[in-house]
Amino acid sequence: MTTLSPENSLSARRSASFILVKRKPPIDKTEWDSFFDENGHLAKSRDFICVNILERGLHPSVRTEAWKFLTGYYSWQSSQDERLTVDSKRRKNYQALCQMYEKIQPLLENLHRNFTETRHNIAYDIQKLYDKDPLGNVLIDKKKLEKTLLLSYVCNTQAEYQQGFHEMVMLFQLMLEHEHETFWLFQFFLQKTEHSCVINIGVAKNLDTLNTLITFLDPVFADHLRRKGAGVVQSLFPWFCLCFQRAFKSFDDVWRLWEVLLTGKPCRNFQVLVAYSMLQMVRRQALLDSMSGNAILLACNKLIDLDADELISAACMVYAELIQKNVPQPLKDFFL
């Protein structure tokens, strides 16, 4: 067992402090532009910007550019001219990938059964998407969405297509103006979050750590889950695979959480603290009603229309609580 330093404890309290006061307005275009000098280099530190994103969020007018830094599409050390060069290269590289895909598609269709099955799964998933707003206006281009997902599948050797990726790419398409931006930001997002949302890379580790966290912070609930709800935590994998996007009341809430996850603040693997906070929302009812595992899962699945700021605040408070304790080494290694 190890205890964290006072400096880390102070940092954690600061990360949670924005729940105690009215949250400042999100970072808008005027403030975002003030972070850069005359050559387009960041005049503020990466840590300063990430902490402000955690505590305040991003205005929609700066989200696209900020996400390019958060995902690694842009270097934090780049100048304006260097970023223009990066944009040009990414556009050309995307066009080259599209041309390559067109050439090898017949070969993939004839020789790779997995490709045919994956293409069918992607088409089926996309068809189920509701692509219009309440007024009937078309929100997304399903053909471009399918193209992005197929190209991503062909180019990505680790993060194979999984159900839910179509919903994630839809949110990128809604945010971004150009096809190449949608493709590349999704790739960089997967790289940054693969240990939280990709089934064959990191989801199992997240679920195991969530179990460990419940046992450490809430032994009463952990005991109830062992006796009545065996397998409940392992069945919460859709939370991680979908990056919690079905739990929120709006796309803005989803983007708000995702950009916090991209900052790495207030700690690594913050998504597990988010899942713990969501599970705590059903805890009282589960204990009072002595709910079975299936009933707990049903209650978890009913966690929709959540507010991102409230959930982030709750998860920050869990982190602040966690580091005040003698943290087991496995948890310390995972979060800190």
Side-chain angles (χ1 to χ4, degrees):
M1 295 274 194
T2 55
T3 303
L4 300 183
S5 68
E7 290 81 5
N8 283 335
S9 297
L10 179 62
S11 175
R13 287 195 295 272
R14 182 188 174 188
S15 297
S17 65
F18 74 102
I19 74 163
L20 304 177
V21 297
K22 184 177 180 180
R23 188 167 68 95
K24 295 179 180 178
I27 300 168
D28 62 15
K29 187 70 166 65
T30 300
E31 185 175 5
W32 177 259
D33 289 344
S34 74
F35 293 162
F36 298 84
D37 64 20
E38 63 275 8
N39 295 317
H41 286 107
L42 279 168
K44 299 288 187 180
S45 71
R46 174 179 179 175
D47 190 67
F48 172 87
I49 294 172
C50 287
V51 168
N52 271 272
I53 291 173
L54 166 67
E55 296 179 348
R56 299 166 54 196
L58 294 166
H59 189 275
S61 62
V62 300
R63 182 164 279 140
T64 296
E65 184 175 2
W67 275 50
K68 289 181 178 180
F69 286 95
L70 290 171
T71 58
Y73 180 103
Y74 287 153
S75 165
W76 290 91
Q77 288 76 42
S78 62
S79 67
Q80 176 64 25
D81 287 343
E82 289 169 337
R83 291 194 289 276
L84 290 173
T85 300
V86 167
D87 277 325
S88 177
K89 286 183 178 179
R90 300 234 188 268
R91 184 182 296 106
K92 291 177 181 177
N93 288 342
Y94 175 72
Q95 292 169 347
L97 286 173
C98 290
Q99 292 171 0
M100 176 205 70
Y101 172 72
E102 290 177 3
K103 290 180 180 179
I104 68 172
Q105 183 178 350
L107 183 65
L108 293 171
E109 291 172 346
N110 292 327
L111 298 180
H112 293 275
R113 181 183 175 186
N114 286 347
F115 172 79
T116 303
E117 291 180 355
T118 300
R119 185 173 62 178
H120 171 78
N121 292 336
I122 289 173
Y124 178 75
D125 288 342
I126 290 175
Q127 192 59 37
K128 293 187 295 182
L129 278 177
Y130 191 73
D131 60 350
K132 296 180 181 179
D133 66 16
L135 297 177
N137 301 310
V138 176
L139 293 173
I140 57 171
D141 186 322
K142 288 188 174 181
K143 288 190 177 297
K144 289 181 179 179
L145 188 60
E146 182 175 2
K147 178 181 176 181
T148 299
L149 287 165
L150 281 171
L151 193 59
S152 176
Y153 168 71
V154 171
C155 296
N156 200 321
T157 57
Q158 284 190 302
E160 297 181 355
Y161 178 76
Q162 65 188 42
Q163 192 172 40
F165 276 4
H166 64 300
E167 296 179 31
M168 296 171 73
V169 174
M170 178 188 73
L171 289 176
F172 280 92
Q173 191 182 101
L174 287 170
M175 185 201 305
L176 301 160
E177 182 178 358
H178 303 292
E179 270 188 65
H180 73 278
E181 292 177 322
T182 300
F183 173 79
W184 286 118
L185 256 73
F186 180 59
Q187 302 312 304
F188 283 110
F189 181 81
L190 284 182
Q191 290 176 20
K192 293 278 285 188
T193 62
E194 64 182 13
H195 291 289
S196 60
C197 73
V198 179
I199 290 177
N200 63 336
I201 297 178
V203 170
K205 177 65 174 177
N206 280 266
L207 294 168
D208 290 341
T209 303
L210 178 57
N211 251 326
T212 303
L213 186 65
I214 297 168
T215 300
F216 178 64
L217 290 180
D218 193 350
V220 172
F221 194 30
D223 181 64
H224 178 82
L225 291 174
R226 278 192 295 270
R227 290 185 293 105
K228 295 263 189 165
V232 166
V233 172
Q234 296 300 318
S235 298
L236 296 176
F237 67 90
W239 283 359
F240 294 103
C241 295
L242 295 166
C243 269
F244 308 98
Q245 69 188 79
R246 292 182 181 172
F248 294 109
K249 61 185 179 182
S250 72
F251 293 151
D252 281 325
D253 285 280
V254 179
W255 289 321
R256 171 79 175 107
L257 176 65
W258 285 5
E259 63 203 18
V260 167
L261 297 180
L262 288 171
T263 67
K265 302 293 183 182
C267 63
R268 294 186 297 113
N269 298 304
F270 186 59
Q271 71 279 352
V272 175
L273 301 184
V274 171
Y276 177 87
S277 300
M278 291 175 64
L279 198 51
Q280 287 291 298
M281 295 177 187
V282 305
R283 175 190 188 276
R284 183 174 181 275
Q285 181 185 0
L287 294 178
L288 283 177
D289 298 345
S290 191
M291 291 168 63
S292 66
N294 287 337
I296 294 172
L297 273 179
L298 182 61
C300 288
N301 290 334
K302 289 181 178 179
L303 292 175
I304 57 175
D305 293 335
L306 300 182
D307 179 277
D309 282 319
E310 292 177 0
L311 182 57
I312 292 165
S313 298
C316 282
M317 287 300 292
V318 174
Y319 177 63
E321 176 189 358
L322 181 66
I323 67 170
Q324 297 302 312
K325 298 178 179 290
N326 291 324
V327 183
Q329 194 63 42
L331 291 179
K332 183 181 179 185
D333 292 342
F334 191 75
F335 290 113
L336 305 171

PDB file of all heavy atoms in Angstrom, residues 197-221:
ATOM      1  N   CYS A 197     -11.767   1.732 -24.958  1.00  0.00           N
ATOM      2  CA  CYS A 197     -12.972   1.439 -25.742  1.00  0.00           C
ATOM      3  C   CYS A 197     -12.817   0.335 -26.777  1.00  0.00           C
ATOM      4  O   CYS A 197     -13.809  -0.053 -27.385  1.00  0.00           O
ATOM      5  CB  CYS A 197     -13.462   2.721 -26.436  1.00  0.00           C
ATOM      6  SG  CYS A 197     -12.449   3.270 -27.822  1.00  0.00           S
ATOM      7  N   VAL A 198     -11.629  -0.183 -26.999  1.00  0.00           N
ATOM      8  CA  VAL A 198     -11.446  -1.228 -28.011  1.00  0.00           C
ATOM      9  C   VAL A 198     -11.474  -2.591 -27.335  1.00  0.00           C
ATOM     10  O   VAL A 198     -10.691  -2.874 -26.420  1.00  0.00           O
ATOM     11  CB  VAL A 198     -10.128  -1.035 -28.779  1.00  0.00           C
ATOM     12  CG1 VAL A 198      -9.945  -2.153 -29.801  1.00  0.00           C
ATOM     13  CG2 VAL A 198     -10.124   0.329 -29.480  1.00  0.00           C
ATOM     14  N   ILE A 199     -12.401  -3.428 -27.777  1.00  0.00           N
ATOM     15  CA  ILE A 199     -12.674  -4.699 -27.101  1.00  0.00           C
ATOM     16  C   ILE A 199     -11.430  -5.564 -26.974  1.00  0.00           C
ATOM     17  O   ILE A 199     -11.114  -6.066 -25.900  1.00  0.00           O
ATOM     18  CB  ILE A 199     -13.791  -5.470 -27.845  1.00  0.00           C
ATOM     19  CG1 ILE A 199     -15.137  -4.766 -27.648  1.00  0.00           C
ATOM     20  CG2 ILE A 199     -13.887  -6.907 -27.328  1.00  0.00           C
ATOM     21  CD1 ILE A 199     -16.284  -5.414 -28.398  1.00  0.00           C
ATOM     22  N   ASN A 200     -10.704  -5.743 -28.081  1.00  0.00           N
ATOM     23  CA  ASN A 200      -9.597  -6.690 -28.056  1.00  0.00           C
ATOM     24  C   ASN A 200      -8.302  -6.094 -27.521  1.00  0.00           C
ATOM     25  O   ASN A 200      -7.253  -6.712 -27.576  1.00  0.00           O
ATOM     26  CB  ASN A 200      -9.356  -7.275 -29.454  1.00  0.00           C
ATOM     27  CG  ASN A 200      -8.950  -6.218 -30.475  1.00  0.00           C
ATOM     28  OD1 ASN A 200      -9.254  -5.041 -30.300  1.00  0.00           O
ATOM     29  ND2 ASN A 200      -8.262  -6.628 -31.529  1.00  0.00           N
ATOM     30  N   ILE A 201      -8.364  -4.867 -26.996  1.00  0.00           N
ATOM     31  CA  ILE A 201      -7.149  -4.240 -26.457  1.00  0.00           C
ATOM     32  C   ILE A 201      -7.282  -3.916 -24.971  1.00  0.00           C
ATOM     33  O   ILE A 201      -6.443  -4.309 -24.175  1.00  0.00           O
ATOM     34  CB  ILE A 201      -6.778  -2.960 -27.243  1.00  0.00           C
ATOM     35  CG1 ILE A 201      -6.461  -3.316 -28.710  1.00  0.00           C
ATOM     36  CG2 ILE A 201      -5.586  -2.252 -26.603  1.00  0.00           C
ATOM     37  CD1 ILE A 201      -6.123  -2.113 -29.569  1.00  0.00           C
ATOM     38  N   GLY A 202      -8.341  -3.177 -24.586  1.00  0.00           N
ATOM     39  CA  GLY A 202      -8.335  -2.675 -23.220  1.00  0.00           C
ATOM     40  C   GLY A 202      -9.598  -2.800 -22.405  1.00  0.00           C
ATOM     41  O   GLY A 202      -9.582  -2.512 -21.202  1.00  0.00           O
ATOM     42  N   VAL A 203     -10.709  -3.209 -23.004  1.00  0.00           N
ATOM     43  CA  VAL A 203     -11.970  -3.200 -22.270  1.00  0.00           C
ATOM     44  C   VAL A 203     -11.941  -4.152 -21.076  1.00  0.00           C
ATOM     45  O   VAL A 203     -12.416  -3.805 -19.977  1.00  0.00           O
ATOM     46  CB  VAL A 203     -13.152  -3.534 -23.207  1.00  0.00           C
ATOM     47  CG1 VAL A 203     -14.426  -3.774 -22.406  1.00  0.00           C
ATOM     48  CG2 VAL A 203     -13.375  -2.404 -24.201  1.00  0.00           C
ATOM     49  N   ALA A 204     -11.384  -5.341 -21.236  1.00  0.00           N
ATOM     50  CA  ALA A 204     -11.349  -6.314 -20.142  1.00  0.00           C
ATOM     51  C   ALA A 204     -10.574  -5.762 -18.950  1.00  0.00           C
ATOM     52  O   ALA A 204     -10.977  -5.946 -17.789  1.00  0.00           O
ATOM     53  CB  ALA A 204     -10.729  -7.626 -20.612  1.00  0.00           C
ATOM     54  N   LYS A 205      -9.457  -5.073 -19.201  1.00  0.00           N
ATOM     55  CA  LYS A 205      -8.663  -4.480 -18.123  1.00  0.00           C
ATOM     56  C   LYS A 205      -9.466  -3.417 -17.387  1.00  0.00           C
ATOM     57  O   LYS A 205      -9.397  -3.314 -16.161  1.00  0.00           O
ATOM     58  CB  LYS A 205      -7.393  -3.869 -18.709  1.00  0.00           C
ATOM     59  CG  LYS A 205      -6.510  -3.150 -17.697  1.00  0.00           C
ATOM     60  CD  LYS A 205      -5.939  -4.085 -16.659  1.00  0.00           C
ATOM     61  CE  LYS A 205      -4.957  -3.387 -15.750  1.00  0.00           C
ATOM     62  NZ  LYS A 205      -4.436  -4.251 -14.672  1.00  0.00           N
ATOM     63  N   ASN A 206     -10.247  -2.637 -18.120  1.00  0.00           N
ATOM     64  CA  ASN A 206     -11.099  -1.627 -17.494  1.00  0.00           C
ATOM     65  C   ASN A 206     -12.116  -2.271 -16.567  1.00  0.00           C
ATOM     66  O   ASN A 206     -12.358  -1.790 -15.451  1.00  0.00           O
ATOM     67  CB  ASN A 206     -11.819  -0.812 -18.565  1.00  0.00           C
ATOM     68  CG  ASN A 206     -10.967   0.258 -19.185  1.00  0.00           C
ATOM     69  OD1 ASN A 206     -10.980   1.404 -18.761  1.00  0.00           O
ATOM     70  ND2 ASN A 206     -10.196  -0.115 -20.197  1.00  0.00           N
ATOM     71  N   LEU A 207     -12.732  -3.347 -17.021  1.00  0.00           N
ATOM     72  CA  LEU A 207     -13.755  -4.019 -16.215  1.00  0.00           C
ATOM     73  C   LEU A 207     -13.150  -4.649 -14.964  1.00  0.00           C
ATOM     74  O   LEU A 207     -13.724  -4.565 -13.878  1.00  0.00           O
ATOM     75  CB  LEU A 207     -14.469  -5.070 -17.059  1.00  0.00           C
ATOM     76  CG  LEU A 207     -15.304  -4.518 -18.230  1.00  0.00           C
ATOM     77  CD1 LEU A 207     -15.728  -5.645 -19.153  1.00  0.00           C
ATOM     78  CD2 LEU A 207     -16.520  -3.764 -17.710  1.00  0.00           C
ATOM     79  N   ASP A 208     -11.977  -5.249 -15.110  1.00  0.00           N
ATOM     80  CA  ASP A 208     -11.306  -5.841 -13.946  1.00  0.00           C
ATOM     81  C   ASP A 208     -10.938  -4.756 -12.931  1.00  0.00           C
ATOM     82  O   ASP A 208     -11.099  -4.945 -11.712  1.00  0.00           O
ATOM     83  CB  ASP A 208     -10.046  -6.587 -14.386  1.00  0.00           C
ATOM     84  CG  ASP A 208     -10.357  -7.862 -15.158  1.00  0.00           C
ATOM     85  OD1 ASP A 208     -11.503  -8.355 -15.054  1.00  0.00           O
ATOM     86  OD2 ASP A 208      -9.455  -8.364 -15.862  1.00  0.00           O
ATOM     87  N   THR A 209     -10.459  -3.613 -13.430  1.00  0.00           N
ATOM     88  CA  THR A 209     -10.081  -2.527 -12.525  1.00  0.00           C
ATOM     89  C   THR A 209     -11.313  -1.925 -11.856  1.00  0.00           C
ATOM     90  O   THR A 209     -11.268  -1.539 -10.681  1.00  0.00           O
ATOM     91  CB  THR A 209      -9.307  -1.440 -13.294  1.00  0.00           C
ATOM     92  OG1 THR A 209      -8.168  -2.030 -13.923  1.00  0.00           O
ATOM     93  CG2 THR A 209      -8.845  -0.337 -12.349  1.00  0.00           C
ATOM     94  N   LEU A 210     -12.423  -1.848 -12.580  1.00  0.00           N
ATOM     95  CA  LEU A 210     -13.665  -1.355 -11.989  1.00  0.00           C
ATOM     96  C   LEU A 210     -14.084  -2.252 -10.824  1.00  0.00           C
ATOM     97  O   LEU A 210     -14.492  -1.766  -9.763  1.00  0.00           O
ATOM     98  CB  LEU A 210     -14.765  -1.294 -13.049  1.00  0.00           C
ATOM     99  CG  LEU A 210     -16.149  -0.835 -12.586  1.00  0.00           C
ATOM    100  CD1 LEU A 210     -16.092   0.549 -11.937  1.00  0.00           C
ATOM    101  CD2 LEU A 210     -17.133  -0.827 -13.768  1.00  0.00           C
ATOM    102  N   ASN A 211     -13.955  -3.552 -11.002  1.00  0.00           N
ATOM    103  CA  ASN A 211     -14.255  -4.483  -9.913  1.00  0.00           C
ATOM    104  C   ASN A 211     -13.359  -4.228  -8.708  1.00  0.00           C
ATOM    105  O   ASN A 211     -13.814  -4.191  -7.555  1.00  0.00           O
ATOM    106  CB  ASN A 211     -14.048  -5.923 -10.397  1.00  0.00           C
ATOM    107  CG  ASN A 211     -15.358  -6.674 -10.555  1.00  0.00           C
ATOM    108  OD1 ASN A 211     -16.305  -6.460  -9.806  1.00  0.00           O
ATOM    109  ND2 ASN A 211     -15.408  -7.554 -11.539  1.00  0.00           N
ATOM    110  N   THR A 212     -12.074  -4.050  -8.969  1.00  0.00           N
ATOM    111  CA  THR A 212     -11.115  -3.787  -7.896  1.00  0.00           C
ATOM    112  C   THR A 212     -11.437  -2.480  -7.188  1.00  0.00           C
ATOM    113  O   THR A 212     -11.350  -2.386  -5.948  1.00  0.00           O
ATOM    114  CB  THR A 212      -9.686  -3.741  -8.466  1.00  0.00           C
ATOM    115  OG1 THR A 212      -9.391  -4.965  -9.131  1.00  0.00           O
ATOM    116  CG2 THR A 212      -8.661  -3.504  -7.360  1.00  0.00           C
ATOM    117  N   LEU A 213     -11.816  -1.469  -7.953  1.00  0.00           N
ATOM    118  CA  LEU A 213     -12.136  -0.158  -7.394  1.00  0.00           C
ATOM    119  C   LEU A 213     -13.363  -0.228  -6.491  1.00  0.00           C
ATOM    120  O   LEU A 213     -13.387   0.369  -5.408  1.00  0.00           O
ATOM    121  CB  LEU A 213     -12.362   0.845  -8.523  1.00  0.00           C
ATOM    122  CG  LEU A 213     -12.572   2.310  -8.130  1.00  0.00           C
ATOM    123  CD1 LEU A 213     -11.307   2.871  -7.485  1.00  0.00           C
ATOM    124  CD2 LEU A 213     -12.951   3.148  -9.357  1.00  0.00           C
ATOM    125  N   ILE A 214     -14.393  -0.953  -6.916  1.00  0.00           N
ATOM    126  CA  ILE A 214     -15.603  -1.108  -6.099  1.00  0.00           C
ATOM    127  C   ILE A 214     -15.255  -1.812  -4.786  1.00  0.00           C
ATOM    128  O   ILE A 214     -15.695  -1.398  -3.704  1.00  0.00           O
ATOM    129  CB  ILE A 214     -16.677  -1.896  -6.864  1.00  0.00           C
ATOM    130  CG1 ILE A 214     -17.110  -1.141  -8.126  1.00  0.00           C
ATOM    131  CG2 ILE A 214     -17.888  -2.153  -5.963  1.00  0.00           C
ATOM    132  CD1 ILE A 214     -17.946  -1.976  -9.079  1.00  0.00           C
ATOM    133  N   THR A 215     -14.446  -2.850  -4.878  1.00  0.00           N
ATOM    134  CA  THR A 215     -14.050  -3.579  -3.671  1.00  0.00           C
ATOM    135  C   THR A 215     -13.296  -2.673  -2.706  1.00  0.00           C
ATOM    136  O   THR A 215     -13.497  -2.742  -1.483  1.00  0.00           O
ATOM    137  CB  THR A 215     -13.168  -4.783  -4.050  1.00  0.00           C
ATOM    138  OG1 THR A 215     -13.914  -5.659  -4.908  1.00  0.00           O
ATOM    139  CG2 THR A 215     -12.715  -5.542  -2.818  1.00  0.00           C
ATOM    140  N   PHE A 216     -12.445  -1.785  -3.245  1.00  0.00           N
ATOM    141  CA  PHE A 216     -11.624  -0.914  -2.401  1.00  0.00           C
ATOM    142  C   PHE A 216     -12.430   0.229  -1.795  1.00  0.00           C
ATOM    143  O   PHE A 216     -12.323   0.508  -0.599  1.00  0.00           O
ATOM    144  CB  PHE A 216     -10.466  -0.357  -3.223  1.00  0.00           C
ATOM    145  CG  PHE A 216      -9.583   0.593  -2.462  1.00  0.00           C
ATOM    146  CD1 PHE A 216      -8.854   0.154  -1.365  1.00  0.00           C
ATOM    147  CD2 PHE A 216      -9.478   1.924  -2.845  1.00  0.00           C
ATOM    148  CE1 PHE A 216      -8.036   1.032  -0.655  1.00  0.00           C
ATOM    149  CE2 PHE A 216      -8.671   2.806  -2.139  1.00  0.00           C
ATOM    150  CZ  PHE A 216      -7.941   2.354  -1.038  1.00  0.00           C
ATOM    151  N   LEU A 217     -13.260   0.890  -2.604  1.00  0.00           N
ATOM    152  CA  LEU A 217     -13.967   2.083  -2.139  1.00  0.00           C
ATOM    153  C   LEU A 217     -15.333   1.789  -1.525  1.00  0.00           C
ATOM    154  O   LEU A 217     -15.822   2.559  -0.700  1.00  0.00           O
ATOM    155  CB  LEU A 217     -14.146   3.079  -3.299  1.00  0.00           C
ATOM    156  CG  LEU A 217     -12.901   3.794  -3.819  1.00  0.00           C
ATOM    157  CD1 LEU A 217     -13.271   4.736  -4.965  1.00  0.00           C
ATOM    158  CD2 LEU A 217     -12.200   4.562  -2.701  1.00  0.00           C
ATOM    159  N   ASP A 218     -15.965   0.705  -1.940  1.00  0.00           N
ATOM    160  CA  ASP A 218     -17.338   0.435  -1.497  1.00  0.00           C
ATOM    161  C   ASP A 218     -17.521  -1.053  -1.231  1.00  0.00           C
ATOM    162  O   ASP A 218     -18.223  -1.762  -1.969  1.00  0.00           O
ATOM    163  CB  ASP A 218     -18.317   0.910  -2.584  1.00  0.00           C
ATOM    164  CG  ASP A 218     -19.763   0.963  -2.093  1.00  0.00           C
ATOM    165  OD1 ASP A 218     -20.040   0.465  -0.988  1.00  0.00           O
ATOM    166  OD2 ASP A 218     -20.610   1.519  -2.821  1.00  0.00           O
ATOM    167  N   PRO A 219     -16.896  -1.560  -0.170  1.00  0.00           N
ATOM    168  CA  PRO A 219     -16.957  -3.012   0.089  1.00  0.00           C
ATOM    169  C   PRO A 219     -18.370  -3.535   0.319  1.00  0.00           C
ATOM    170  O   PRO A 219     -18.651  -4.698   0.027  1.00  0.00           O
ATOM    171  CB  PRO A 219     -16.084  -3.167   1.345  1.00  0.00           C
ATOM    172  CG  PRO A 219     -15.963  -1.804   1.946  1.00  0.00           C
ATOM    173  CD  PRO A 219     -16.053  -0.853   0.799  1.00  0.00           C
ATOM    174  N   VAL A 220     -19.272  -2.675   0.837  1.00  0.00           N
ATOM    175  CA  VAL A 220     -20.659  -3.121   1.050  1.00  0.00           C
ATOM    176  C   VAL A 220     -21.323  -3.452  -0.286  1.00  0.00           C
ATOM    177  O   VAL A 220     -21.961  -4.499  -0.453  1.00  0.00           O
ATOM    178  CB  VAL A 220     -21.470  -2.045   1.795  1.00  0.00           C
ATOM    179  CG1 VAL A 220     -22.950  -2.413   1.850  1.00  0.00           C
ATOM    180  CG2 VAL A 220     -20.923  -1.851   3.202  1.00  0.00           C
ATOM    181  N   PHE A 221     -21.187  -2.552  -1.243  1.00  0.00           N
ATOM    182  CA  PHE A 221     -21.768  -2.789  -2.567  1.00  0.00           C
ATOM    183  C   PHE A 221     -21.054  -3.930  -3.271  1.00  0.00           C
ATOM    184  O   PHE A 221     -21.675  -4.741  -3.973  1.00  0.00           O
ATOM    185  CB  PHE A 221     -21.685  -1.506  -3.391  1.00  0.00           C
ATOM    186  CG  PHE A 221     -22.533  -1.508  -4.640  1.00  0.00           C
ATOM    187  CD1 PHE A 221     -23.714  -2.231  -4.707  1.00  0.00           C
ATOM    188  CD2 PHE A 221     -22.149  -0.777  -5.755  1.00  0.00           C
ATOM    189  CE1 PHE A 221     -24.496  -2.233  -5.852  1.00  0.00           C
ATOM    190  CE2 PHE A 221     -22.918  -0.760  -6.906  1.00  0.00           C
ATOM    191  CZ  PHE A 221     -24.090  -1.501  -6.955  1.00  0.00           C
TER     192      PHE A 221
END
